[in-house]
Amino acid sequence: QVHLVESGGGLVQAGGSLRLACAASGGRFSDYAMAWFRQVPGKERELVAHISRLALATSYADSVKGRFAISRDNAKNTVDLEMNSLKPEDTAVYYCAAKRRSSDWASPDSWGQGTQVTVSS
């Protein structure tokens, strides 16, 4: 089972940028499609972006399309989420997730502990 640890969260003003990183260990990283989710209190967890095992395909939620970019480095066992033009509604806890079969992200195989992103107006 792959172990995931997120980093890079923090406080940023609207219009600013942050880059989140997720480090994986304990598994063969290239066997897993990777994703970023986010969650705010009282709301369902939202799939923000995901990337295929060899980074040949990416997908984004409409709410972040054109502003966020997901990438991975299989040599370093990392997946990043670059967030630009941040809005207050982007405020959430962001989670990294991994899944061997990416056809359904409802039940990832592994979750990170989450990192808080707060965007002030």
Side-chain angles (χ1 to χ4, degrees):
Q1 196 84 334
V2 66
H3 182 242
L4 306 174
V5 178
E6 303 97 333
S7 62
L11 176 64
V12 64
Q13 287 189 311
S17 299
L18 282 175
R19 191 177 186 94
L20 306 183
C22 175
S25 62
R28 189 177 180 90
F29 185 63
S30 59
D31 285 348
Y32 294 87
M34 302 295 298
W36 286 95
F37 290 79
R38 66 186 181 187
Q39 189 168 30
V40 300
K43 290 197 171 185
E44 290 289 321
R45 190 157 39 219
E46 176 188 16
L47 178 60
V48 175
H50 59 93
I51 187 167
S52 62
R53 288 172 288 117
L54 298 180
L56 298 178
T58 58
S59 184
Y60 299 90
D62 288 342
S63 58
V64 306
K65 198 170 297 180
R67 300 188 297 119
F68 290 10
I70 189 171
S71 61
R72 68 188 295 163
D73 187 338
N74 286 353
K76 297 180 178 179
N77 292 351
T78 58
V79 59
D80 290 356
L81 184 68
E82 183 181 352
M83 304 184 295
N84 302 307
S85 301
L86 283 162
K87 305 174 181 179
E89 51 263 44
D90 294 319
T91 295
V93 177
Y94 283 72
Y95 297 90
C96 181
K99 191 171 179 65
R100 285 183 176 268
R101 189 170 185 269
S102 62
S103 60
D104 184 3
W105 278 104
S107 300
D109 297 324
S110 299
W111 290 98
Q113 82 289 342
T115 186
Q116 176 71 47
V117 172
T118 302
V119 184
S120 61
S121 60

